[in-house]
Amino acid sequence: MNTVITIGREFGSGGRELAKKIAARLGISYYDKEIVTEISKVTELSEEYIHSIIENNPPMILPFTEARSFYMSDTLSLQSNTVYAAQSDVIKKLAESSSCIIVGRCADYILRDINPMRIFVYSDDKSKIKRCRENASENEDLTDKQLLKKINGINKNRARYYRFYTNQKWGDIRNYDLCINTSDSEIDIIADAVVKMFKKEKVGE
Amino acid sequence: MNTVITIGREFGSGGRELAKKIAARLGISYYDKEIVTEISKVTELSEEYIHSIIENNPPMILPFTEARSFYMSDTLSLQSNTVYAAQSDVIKKLAESSSCIIVGRCADYILRDINPMRIFVYSDDKSKIKRCRENASENEDLTDKQLLKKINGINKNRARYYRFYTNQKWGDIRNYDLCINTSDSEIDIIADAVVKMFKKEKVGE
């Protein structure tokens, strides 16, 4: 049976870096943006557009029965659902084909039947700002307040997207096996610890 | 500087066992019921009564300005606050005197100024029932449903007590550095992983 880890992560928390490091230590595949490429092949929508649907233009939080047309066009709504369906297929196939780590994209929920190890990575505001400044030059002109607003906006969209498709709360402990606050921690040390927990438990050393 | 870990834990999650095992591996003190003994000495209230105030009769969730006398006698209210004050003093002194693990009793909040490693331990219902059956013979006569009701009642009181004295939500990721779901895990393996994370980070190997 494949070893599958899903990592939900707040933007700016270092979750992507942690995922890469755990994957490298365990010697298993790592999927993040690769999923978007696969969805693009299936749906024939551009990668940029898919990324925008997933990260920036999630469906509004409204029951399906309400008039969504006020908030998003029928075309966008349809495409959002098409993208989610393709995303589910791609993620399930990846998890079936080999041991892997899948970052974001409701993978913990999509793969619930195979019981992956579900990790959520988060951090405090100060740490998020610091990480974003280190990793992206395009934020240079922003004040800390402006940058935090941008970060919080992205995370709000992620939470909304997760809630819409899973009917669960993003970052609620009930939906994860391990929730890690990276604020005062080195990602390398966390990766070592997670691997220790994971290897013995799921792979069996 | 002392190494201090606080462990909040749902009843039935194995948090107490995990705390003991981490303490043993790190070779540091472990405080749980010992805190009640200390509070008893300071307040001259019996250990049983203090335990009852902390675990079974927490103050109702009402702002201090509201008429609490409908819900609890003034004497009980006064004693609850006396116990909390004594608890704060005892916990602060323990953390100052040596490296240690402190279980429950809002220690993460009481010690916030010294930045302890704050762990929260939780599990699903099935796992809680299993653990309680293994650990306590007094539950033999209860059905699973009755036992779960008892467990949930204890956890509801813990959440209420925590909320009342910290104004924070018990089990919310924001209040912890690490949240661990013990449902499908062995406590020994988790203890090994936590120690790995902790030793390097806080003690410096």
Side-chain angles (χ1 to χ4, degrees), chain A residues 10 115 118 120 122-123 171 173-174 176-181 184-185 189 192-193 196-197 200-201, chain B residues 10 115 118 120 122-123 171 173-174 176-181 184-185 189 192-193 196-197 200-201:
Chain A
E10 286 186 342
N115 193 25
R118 303 159 304 165
F120 188 78
Y122 61 105
S123 63
I173 58 171
R174 298 287 153 211
Y176 308 96
D177 300 301
L178 196 61
C179 302
I180 305 167
N181 186 341
D184 297 313
S185 308
I189 291 169
D192 284 342
K196 194 169 177 64
M197 193 179 292
K200 279 193 186 169
E201 202 165 314
Chain B
E10 287 185 342
N115 193 26
R118 304 158 302 165
F120 188 78
Y122 60 105
S123 63
I173 58 171
R174 298 286 154 210
Y176 308 95
D177 300 301
L178 196 61
C179 302
I180 304 167
N181 185 342
D184 297 313
S185 307
I189 290 169
D192 284 342
K196 192 169 180 67
M197 194 178 294
K200 280 193 188 170
E201 202 164 315

Side-chain angles (χ1 to χ4, degrees), chain B residues 1-185:
Chain B
M1 197 175 147
N2 290 333
T3 298
V4 179
I5 305 175
T6 63
I7 301 198
R9 74 296 176 224
E10 287 185 342
F11 184 78
S13 70
R16 185 182 160 81
E17 186 189 346
L18 178 62
K20 277 187 185 172
K21 289 188 168 174
I22 296 172
R25 281 161 173 75
L26 290 174
I28 63 178
S29 307
Y30 160 88
Y31 300 114
D32 185 356
K33 291 181 181 162
E34 297 77 1
I35 296 167
V36 175
T37 310
E38 288 303 310
I39 299 171
S40 173
K41 284 182 198 162
V42 178
T43 59
E44 297 187 348
L45 296 167
S46 76
E47 290 189 29
E48 290 70 24
Y49 185 66
I50 291 165
H51 182 76
S52 144
I53 284 180
I54 295 178
E55 289 274 341
N56 303 320
N57 289 308
M60 298 298 125
I61 307 179
L62 283 174
F64 277 102
T65 49
E66 288 195 33
R68 277 170 303 151
S69 54
F70 279 108
Y71 298 89
M72 59 195 298
S73 75
D74 282 351
T75 307
L76 178 56
S77 165
L78 189 65
Q79 285 180 343
S80 281
N81 290 332
T82 304
V83 164
Y84 184 77
Q87 178 176 306
S88 297
D89 284 346
V90 167
I91 286 173
K92 282 178 186 169
K93 277 178 192 155
L94 290 173
E96 274 167 24
S97 64
S98 72
S99 291
C100 61
I101 296 190
I102 298 175
V103 176
R105 299 172 183 85
C106 309
D108 55 291
Y109 180 80
I110 290 168
L111 297 176
R112 62 194 180 281
D113 289 342
I114 65 163
N115 193 26
M117 186 187 199
R118 304 158 302 165
I119 297 177
F120 188 78
V121 184
Y122 60 105
S123 63
D124 63 21
D125 290 346
K126 195 176 149 197
S127 167
K128 279 180 195 142
I129 291 169
K130 187 166 173 271
R131 271 211 176 81
C132 284
R133 293 223 178 274
E134 283 165 1
N135 295 338
S137 55
E138 75 259 25
N139 297 319
E140 268 174 18
D141 295 338
L142 301 180
T143 63
D144 279 0
K145 200 177 166 185
Q146 287 168 327
L147 180 53
L148 185 59
K149 196 177 168 188
K150 186 179 166 182
I151 293 166
N152 287 343
I154 294 170
N155 285 326
K156 208 171 163 185
N157 282 345
R158 286 186 181 176
R160 199 186 283 167
Y161 185 83
Y162 186 85
R163 164 71 84 180
F164 187 82
Y165 282 111
T166 70
N167 201 27
Q168 296 180 159
K169 192 181 166 201
W170 195 58
D172 184 318
I173 58 171
R174 298 286 154 210
N175 308 322
Y176 308 95
D177 300 301
L178 196 61
C179 302
I180 304 167
N181 185 342
T182 56
S183 302
D184 297 313
S185 307

Side-chain angles (χ1 to χ4, degrees), chain A residues 40-80:
Chain A
S40 172
K41 284 182 199 162
V42 178
T43 59
E44 297 186 348
L45 297 167
S46 78
E47 290 189 29
E48 290 70 22
Y49 186 67
I50 291 165
H51 182 76
S52 145
I53 284 180
I54 294 178
E55 290 274 340
N56 303 319
N57 289 308
M60 299 297 124
I61 307 180
L62 283 174
F64 276 103
T65 49
E66 288 193 33
R68 277 169 302 152
S69 54
F70 278 107
Y71 298 89
M72 59 197 297
S73 73
D74 282 352
T75 307
L76 178 57
S77 165
L78 189 65
Q79 284 181 342
S80 280

Side-chain angles (χ1 to χ4, degrees), chain A residues 81-136:
Chain A
N81 291 332
T82 304
V83 165
Y84 184 78
Q87 179 175 306
S88 296
D89 284 347
V90 168
I91 286 173
K92 282 179 187 168
K93 277 178 193 154
L94 290 173
E96 273 167 23
S97 66
S98 72
S99 291
C100 61
I101 296 189
I102 299 174
V103 176
R105 300 174 180 82
C106 309
D108 54 292
Y109 180 80
I110 290 167
L111 297 176
R112 63 196 181 281
D113 290 343
I114 65 162
N115 193 25
M117 186 186 198
R118 303 159 304 165
I119 298 177
F120 188 78
V121 184
Y122 61 105
S123 63
D124 62 22
D125 290 347
K126 196 176 148 197
S127 166
K128 278 179 196 143
I129 290 170
K130 188 166 172 272
R131 271 212 175 83
C132 283
R133 293 225 178 273
E134 285 165 2
N135 296 338

